[in-house]
Amino acid sequence: MRIEQNYSLERHNTFHLPVKTRWFMEYENEEELSKILRDEYFQECLSLHIGSGSNLLFINDFNGIILHSRIKGMEVSREDDDTVWLRVGAAERWDDVVAHAVSNGWGGIENLSWIPGEAGAAAIQNIGAYGVEIKDVVDSVETYNQLTFERRVFSNPDCDYGYRYSYFKNEHNDPHIVTYVTLRLSKKPSFSVGYGNLREELEKYPELTLSAVREAVISIRKRKLPDPEVLGNAGSYFMNPVIPADDFAKLRERYPDVPSYPAANGRVKVPAGWLIERCGFKGKTHGQVGVYEKQALVLVNLGDARGYEIALFAESIREAVRDRFGIELMPEVKYVG
Ligand code: EPU
């Protein structure tokens, strides 16, 4: 177990905000985690479990304990002629999991290539890209209840998945820490390449294979999204709003070119990037904060921005979208502090 005091989180958040935490604790296995959870001092402190910080906005220093898992490993826990169940430690880099699956010929997560973050957070967040969400392949999620210390294995339906949503994100539920995620991958992959420009990108490849899909997704992402190592960011800053069909019909009357995707219960998902661009924010900067010039849904730290500056700029974007379209954008990033 590693314990640090007054520890910088600059390398633990992809906005690279220079915040500190009072304590940083990193555990290697379930035993160490269980020990931390039962510790009285830990129970009295404010705590937050993080992955690689690719979806966090620290507004202030964190006056408590930041927990981080080092539980790694990828093993086939079961297989039959068609399917492989891959059990993955929560601290595995998500893209290493995708690379491992693709190189073994197991299909299901190739569209989710090159997404920053760790496997545990990916399952909590229900990451999604190019028409696929991790919920499509999650078999089960192993957890510890932070309050009762009970170990519980959530089946896929138990996770209550929705768009960028799961049971674990609902603040009305007891906090759970994810230790392992088991993915159900296919030995006889069927491809999902209908999303936007993925099909077009794939025309550059002689054959439709898992590696071709992975490479195509990586090249689209690299073209559109800034590398957090170069320009601090947390991917999509807002979620794409899901609106009632009637509201969408009215919107399309005013803006016939508005893109859209069908969502659950007859509702319609509208790309927030399009709404933000229409409000004139694409490529705009305010002090040390900017809207990325190639993807208006991404806010970037141009150098030494502070969390509150990013949050304030985001608020002005929300207001502009609300005034012009009557649509409320909700942040996808989690605000801390
Ligand atoms: N668009 C614009 N202007 C922009 C950006 C987008 O008009 O500046 C339009 C595009 O023309 C396109 C539509 O919006 O018609 C969708 O754009 P894109 O395919 O880039 O995807 P997105 O809806 O902006 C979502 C996810 C991304 C994911 C992509 C691809 C959310 C919040 N974001 O973005 O996920 O990679 O689809 O599937 O759902 C993330 O969550 O961090 C993330 C990057």
Side-chain angles (χ1 to χ4, degrees), residues 40-334:
E40 268 179 36
Y41 181 70
F42 176 80
Q43 288 165 15
E44 280 165 17
C45 276
L46 179 67
S47 66
L48 174 73
H49 198 294
I50 65 167
S52 62
S54 55
N55 209 35
L56 295 177
L57 182 74
F58 285 98
I59 305 292
N60 295 309
D61 286 343
F62 189 74
N63 190 18
I65 301 171
I66 295 282
L67 263 184
H68 185 241
S69 169
R70 298 255 316 149
I71 298 181
K72 298 221 180 192
M74 295 186 238
E75 48 153 18
V76 173
S77 56
R78 195 176 139 200
E79 69 183 300
D80 63 22
D81 290 347
D82 302 323
T83 309
V84 157
W85 282 261
L86 184 68
R87 183 171 181 254
V88 177
E92 281 291 346
R93 258 187 81 227
W94 172 251
D95 196 56
D96 290 346
V97 181
V98 180
H100 182 69
V102 167
S103 68
N104 280 285
W106 304 328
I109 50 177
E110 57 284 355
N111 291 38
L112 303 179
S113 290
W114 212 246
I115 296 182
E118 294 173 3
I124 292 172
Q125 175 71 5
N126 188 19
I127 55 167
Y130 307 101
V132 172
E133 289 179 317
I134 196 175
K135 76 165 171 52
D136 304 331
V137 296
V138 165
D139 178 73
S140 59
V141 177
E142 293 169 52
T143 69
Y144 274 85
N145 183 316
Q146 202 171 319
L147 303 181
T148 65
F149 319 131
E150 274 163 335
R151 196 175 168 274
R152 175 172 168 195
V153 182
F154 283 72
S155 68
N156 181 304
D158 292 342
C159 294
D160 195 19
Y161 279 127
Y163 168 56
R164 298 291 193 275
Y165 174 81
S166 72
Y167 175 98
F168 312 108
K169 287 185 80 175
N170 186 333
E171 285 170 8
H172 298 296
N173 294 329
D174 279 5
H176 283 73
I177 290 171
V178 173
T179 48
Y180 289 92
V181 180
T182 298
L183 306 172
R184 211 168 177 276
L185 303 174
S186 174
K187 288 182 180 174
K188 296 170 183 161
S190 60
F191 296 93
S192 166
V193 295
Y195 185 95
N197 47 358
L198 180 56
R199 188 186 296 278
E200 210 178 294
E201 185 72 25
L202 277 161
E203 279 164 16
K204 298 179 187 161
Y205 296 79
E207 230 187 313
L208 183 59
T209 61
L210 294 176
S211 322
V213 175
R214 174 166 166 76
E215 280 170 35
V217 166
I218 291 177
S219 50
I220 299 173
R221 287 188 78 93
K222 283 190 170 170
R223 273 203 308 267
K224 275 196 173 182
L225 299 168
D227 177 355
E229 287 306 313
V230 180
L231 206 52
N233 76 88
S236 301
Y237 193 93
F238 298 101
M239 289 192 270
N240 284 331
V242 177
I243 62 174
D246 289 354
D247 293 0
F248 179 70
K250 284 181 206 142
L251 183 68
R252 199 166 47 187
E253 259 171 43
R254 280 168 60 206
Y255 304 96
D257 62 332
V258 57
S260 66
Y261 303 97
N265 307 321
R267 292 162 73 89
V268 182
K269 195 188 273 181
V270 182
W274 185 89
L275 299 169
I276 296 168
E277 183 173 349
R278 277 295 166 124
C279 290
F281 279 99
K282 198 168 186 169
K284 270 223 168 140
T285 62
H286 184 82
Q288 290 298 307
V289 190
V291 175
Y292 192 51
E293 72 265 16
K294 295 181 201 152
Q295 176 30 303
L297 194 46
V298 178
L299 297 194
V300 293
N301 177 357
L302 298 170
D304 55 2
R306 294 292 180 266
Y308 73 89
E309 294 172 305
I310 297 173
L312 283 174
F313 195 35
E315 203 43 49
S316 65
I317 293 173
R318 274 180 96 180
E319 255 175 52
V321 169
R322 188 189 302 128
D323 289 351
R324 177 148 181 190
F325 297 103
I327 292 177
E328 196 65 44
L329 294 183
M330 298 305 290
E332 185 186 315
V333 300
K334 183 182 163 111

